[in-house]
Amino acid sequence: MSDAPHPMIQSEFDLIQTYFAALGPHREDVDLGVGDDCALLRPPPNRLLAQTQDTLAEGVHFAVGADPEALGHKALAVNLSDLAAMGAEPAWFSLGLTLPQADTAWVAAFAHGMAVLARAHGVRLVGGDTTRGPRSISIHAQGFVAAGRELRRSRARPGDLVYVSGTLGDAALGLMQQQGEWDGGAQHAALAERLHRPEPRVLLGRRLGGVAHAAIDLSDGLAADLGHICTASGVGARFELGRLPLSAAGRAYLAVTGDWMPFIAGGDDYELCFTLDPALEREAAAICRAAGCVCRHVGEVVAGDGVHCIAPDGAELSLARGGYEHFSG
Amino acid sequence: MSDAPHPMIQSEFDLIQTYFAALGPHREDVDLGVGDDCALLRPPPNRLLAQTQDTLAEGVHFAVGADPEALGHKALAVNLSDLAAMGAEPAWFSLGLTLPQADTAWVAAFAHGMAVLARAHGVRLVGGDTTRGPRSISIHAQGFVAAGRELRRSRARPGDLVYVSGTLGDAALGLMQQQGEWDGGAQHAALAERLHRPEPRVLLGRRLGGVAHAAIDLSDGLAADLGHICTASGVGARFELGRLPLSAAGRAYLAVTGDWMPFIAGGDDYELCFTLDPALEREAAAICRAAGCVCRHVGEVVAGDGVHCIAPDGAELSLARGGYEHFSG
């Protein structure tokens, strides 16, 4: 137009320009980032391009009024966790952001939470769009992995050991605490942190490439996610309750309630579950130490199918609920 | 679990497996598609990876009760249109689908509409997720373009001719018709088709690569989108109302109302707007014919800034509204 632009008309583009035009570190492989019809990127030769897309919707994955800074972190973290589970090195991401209104303070805090995590992992925002509608965040993230070093779900073999990183169930307890169903007491802040600010196991995943047989990130709970490995690999697996790694908060909850469900079926932990040839156990231990996390042997891959949960007394438990499932409610 | 899976627990995965596991043609460059933490892809060497992400939200981009088959088409089409505007050859896409409930008939029709367009353009669905929430569709699409043949917004030069493909304003008239504000009469079906089933100008975009200077797809209306080219290129542009390509439906609307706004500021046409060295006009005409579409010279790129709209009497019009803008309502 020959007139000065209408201030309202510029608002969406202002938002994008101001907060998202240069989010994350500069990367030489980004030929053209935010601001054209497409981004133009230069994937490295002789590497597989690994990519994932995860959506977080208000009222489903996060509560109305959730802290935008934590949400910016988590929306990117859950996607980096998928790259970690594939053994990939994160590179770029794209953001589809749907908001009920153009709330500058909200966007600034959201972008800040996202930018801090993006810089920590060297990933650059290269595109996406901003839309008016019920609040939701759909991120597409990409990374690279050398062929042969990718961690597929489908390569678990009978005899493999089943490992998990970190501790289980803390995000589920954090959610119960938020909903007033549990009081974390002295561990209140720690549980909230695990729920709202998961740390994707990127370094661990990359170093396990070519060592572990199969891997998945724990978004739906150990039973369900280990079940995905079993289905993809055509095997079964067993894990022992007594071996599950629990935080201080988890041990306190278990002591009071006797309830194992948060540790077996609680989602949102974003730890890695991987399977390993027993001959490589020492090598894996060194990798976990180098990646700065504790990994625990919790079970074994077996011939057959299904995931079998073994109680401390050796009995096999039957579980009616396998984990969080979007359309089961 | 050792038990048979709970039928409700399998529902999301059933949905994905059944309708989205093999959507689009087989491609040799897809090493691993839907079903793991990430897709694994093999981008071709020596090409730029072009990618875009566009979200359609219910109540904003489509009405409650919209035909799911047309929606499956349109959600992919608007993303392929961005690849077209970059001169890229479409290859892969990822789908973030948010639905209020797992409605099998809806998903089947949606997937069918998407699959027909995907096959027509040789693009394969390689990943994404399905989430419960207010209905929305966020697609990330990727393609390839040789370096030097990409169509950036930023390369328009004073003296270039401004071209548009097809006809303008039909989608806007289709929306007015749907909202009861206009009766398309004999052109009713044609207008609805333009609104609900846009055909991305993929072949045209690819062939214009290395020939046109700058390009954009018309999603926000000619004035706004040509304005994006001007801003990115540091130039101005003028277009003449009398040169705008109108369909029979558009001419009928103009004759009755005298209103040029749908043609200048109506969104959702997904035609291409491109700028061209006048010396290449004959070559461009041959490209348009070969791509099966009519392209019309509507104006020129000029030094300065802003988009200037020239009336049939030669007067410059002032326009208060530049096009559809998500946060301007």
Side-chain angles (χ1 to χ4, degrees):
Chain A
M1 301 299 89
S2 54
D3 292 338
H6 189 291
M8 292 303 285
I9 285 180
Q10 292 301 306
S11 60
E12 178 186 1
F13 299 101
D14 283 349
L15 269 176
I16 293 169
Q17 286 301 124
T18 308
Y19 296 105
F20 298 122
L23 197 153
H26 174 80
R27 290 183 62 103
E28 289 294 332
D29 53 13
V30 178
D31 205 72
L32 183 62
V34 171
D36 208 309
D37 295 297
C38 292
L40 293 174
L41 307 166
R42 300 182 184 275
N46 307 318
R47 307 282 287 281
L48 292 170
L49 179 65
Q51 55 185 40
T52 183
Q53 182 172 359
D54 265 341
T55 302
L56 301 188
E58 187 174 74
V60 181
H61 303 91
F62 60 92
V64 174
D67 172 16
E69 192 270 345
L71 202 53
H73 171 100
K74 185 167 180 173
L76 180 57
V78 303
N79 281 278
L80 297 183
S81 180
D82 280 322
L83 292 175
M86 216 74 202
E89 173 191 351
W92 314 306
F93 71 106
S94 173
L95 166 67
L97 179 61
T98 305
L99 297 175
Q101 67 277 328
D103 175 342
T104 305
W106 194 96
V107 171
F110 176 84
H112 179 71
M114 185 164 278
V116 170
L117 187 67
R119 282 196 298 269
H121 290 281
V123 287
R124 174 80 177 191
L125 179 65
V126 296
D129 67 343
T130 311
T131 303
R132 170 175 247 157
R135 199 180 312 270
S136 107
I137 306 141
S138 192
I139 286 183
H140 183 277
Q142 296 165 285
F144 318 127
V145 59
R149 293 187 65 86
E150 77 275 16
L151 296 169
R152 299 174 190 243
R153 294 182 182 178
S154 58
R155 295 190 172 165
R157 301 174 203 168
D160 278 1
L161 306 180
V162 176
Y163 269 75
V164 296
S165 64
T167 57
L168 300 182
D170 296 314
L173 295 181
L175 182 60
M176 291 171 66
Q177 171 178 274
Q178 177 173 294
Q179 294 174 335
E181 298 163 7
W182 172 248
D183 177 4
Q187 304 297 324
H188 189 285
L191 291 180
E193 186 83 356
R194 285 297 306 271
L195 175 62
H196 295 303
R197 304 182 61 86
E199 280 300 331
R201 296 293 194 182
V202 172
L203 189 57
L204 177 64
R206 287 180 60 187
R207 299 210 170 169
L208 287 173
V211 177
H213 281 160
I216 193 169
D217 69 324
L218 295 177
S219 54
D220 295 335
L222 176 62
D225 289 320
L226 183 54
H228 294 323
I229 286 182
C230 290
T231 302
S233 298
V235 298
R238 61 194 294 285
F239 67 87
E240 298 174 44
L241 290 186
R243 287 180 174 273
L244 299 187
L246 270 49
S247 68
R251 289 193 300 273
Y253 174 85
L254 185 64
V256 172
T257 66
D259 174 22
W260 284 96
M261 288 308 283
F263 314 110
I264 298 169
D268 257 11
D269 278 328
Y270 301 102
E271 297 293 348
L272 293 187
C273 172
F274 56 95
T275 85
L276 188 71
D277 186 318
L280 296 179
E281 220 180 347
R282 190 180 296 252
E283 186 173 348
I287 285 171
C288 295
R289 276 194 303 275
C293 63
V294 174
C295 296
R296 188 80 73 87
H297 167 208
V298 299
E300 290 79 33
V301 177
V302 297
D305 59 17
V307 175
H308 307 268
C309 172
I310 311 301
D313 65 2
E316 181 172 340
L317 293 185
S318 166
L319 296 166
R321 184 163 63 108
Y324 186 77
E325 223 295 327
H326 295 303
F327 289 111
S328 65
Chain B
M1 301 296 91
S2 54
D3 294 336
H6 190 291
M8 291 304 284
I9 286 180
Q10 292 300 307
S11 62
E12 180 187 0
F13 300 102
D14 283 350
L15 270 176
I16 292 168
Q17 286 301 123
T18 308
Y19 296 105
F20 299 121
L23 196 153
H26 173 80
R27 290 183 61 103
E28 289 294 332
D29 54 13
V30 178
D31 204 71
L32 183 61
V34 172
D36 208 309
D37 295 297
C38 292
L40 293 174
L41 306 167
R42 299 182 185 276
N46 307 319
R47 307 281 286 282
L48 293 169
L49 180 64
Q51 55 186 40
T52 183
Q53 181 172 359
D54 265 342
T55 302
L56 301 189
E58 188 174 73
V60 181
H61 302 91
F62 59 92
V64 174
D67 173 17
E69 192 272 343
L71 203 52
H73 171 100
K74 185 167 180 173
L76 180 56
V78 303
N79 281 278
L80 297 184
S81 180
D82 280 323
L83 292 175
M86 216 74 202
E89 173 191 350
W92 314 307
F93 72 104
S94 173
L95 167 66
L97 180 61
T98 304
L99 297 174
Q101 66 276 328
D103 176 340
T104 306
W106 194 96
V107 171
F110 176 84
H112 179 71
M114 185 164 278
V116 170
L117 187 68
R119 281 197 298 270
H121 290 282
V123 287
R124 174 80 176 191
L125 180 66
V126 297
D129 67 344
T130 312
T131 303
R132 170 175 248 158
R135 198 180 313 270
S136 103
I137 306 141
S138 191
I139 287 184
H140 183 277
Q142 296 164 285
F144 318 128
V145 60
R149 295 187 64 86
E150 76 275 16
L151 296 169
R152 299 175 189 243
R153 293 182 183 179
S154 57
R155 295 191 171 165
R157 301 173 204 169
D160 279 2
L161 307 181
V162 177
Y163 269 74
V164 296
S165 65
T167 56
L168 300 182
D170 296 315
L173 295 181
L175 182 61
M176 291 171 68
Q177 171 178 273
Q178 177 175 292
Q179 294 174 335
E181 298 162 7
W182 171 247
D183 177 5
Q187 303 297 324
H188 189 285
L191 290 180
E193 187 83 357
R194 286 297 305 272
L195 175 62
H196 296 303
R197 304 183 61 86
E199 281 301 332
R201 297 293 193 182
V202 171
L203 189 57
L204 177 64
R206 287 180 60 187
R207 300 209 170 169
L208 286 173
V211 177
H213 281 161
I216 193 168
D217 69 323
L218 295 177
S219 54
D220 295 335
L222 176 62
D225 289 320
L226 182 53
H228 295 323
I229 286 182
C230 289
T231 303
S233 298
V235 297
R238 61 194 295 285
F239 67 86
E240 297 173 44
L241 290 185
R243 288 180 173 271
L244 299 187
L246 270 49
S247 67
R251 289 192 300 272
Y253 174 85
L254 184 65
V256 171
T257 66
D259 175 23
W260 284 96
M261 288 307 285
F263 314 110
I264 298 169
D268 257 9
D269 279 327
Y270 301 102
E271 297 293 348
L272 294 187
C273 173
F274 55 96
T275 83
L276 187 72
D277 187 317
L280 296 178
E281 222 180 344
R282 191 181 296 251
E283 186 173 348
I287 286 172
C288 295
R289 277 194 303 275
C293 64
V294 174
C295 296
R296 188 81 72 88
H297 167 208
V298 299
E300 290 80 32
V301 177
V302 297
D305 59 17
V307 175
H308 307 267
C309 172
I310 311 300
D313 65 2
E316 181 173 339
L317 292 184
S318 166
L319 296 165
R321 184 164 62 107
Y324 185 77
E325 223 292 329
H326 295 304
F327 289 112
S328 64

